[in-house]
Amino acid sequence: MAMWDRIKEQAKGLQQQSQGAGQASGGTAGGRQPGAGAGAGGGSKEKLVGLLKSQLGSLKTELKSGAYRDASMAMCALVAAADGSVDPAERQHVESLILQNDVLQNFPTEQLRQRFNKHVDQLMFNFPQGRADALQEIAKAAKKPVEAKAVVQTGFVIAGADGYIAPAEAQVLREACTALGVSPQEFGL
């Protein structure tokens, strides 16, 4: 549990830096509105995503269960479809992020692709049902707190890969936190 407390403190410090930098410059990062979702602050969010990615990597040897794999793929699909659609380029981009993720390299590539694409296909065919199915899959990781938090971290890393977490992505991450019994505040959501 101490590691999660460190992540939380580091995230809080990065958020404070982000707020201070935004106020000092008198403007917004990338032209976005101040406080717009979890993406305000530009470079600091990139640092936070990097920190979460690093912390997630330190758990690589613990994250080998099928529940983590399946929940993470459902999480990635939800993040990709957060705005209600996933075009082929976005699907390919998220799939490449998944395959490059150190922790997810614990699993065979084809298993990851198959599970991710299954969820994306369900979300695109019938979004409400696909969302419910994905959240049900995510909730299965709630039994182990380390895995539950790692699923949220995985989603956060995928969502923040472009340096910005859109409001719809932040909402999906909050919903996943609820399904997993994890406090969204731990991730600054």
Side-chain angles (χ1 to χ4, degrees), residues 12-37:
K12 192 182 295 182
L14 286 172
Q15 284 179 328
Q16 289 170 348
Q17 284 177 349
S18 169
Q19 290 169 350
Q23 291 170 353
S25 68
T28 61
R32 294 194 171 89
Q33 295 298 319

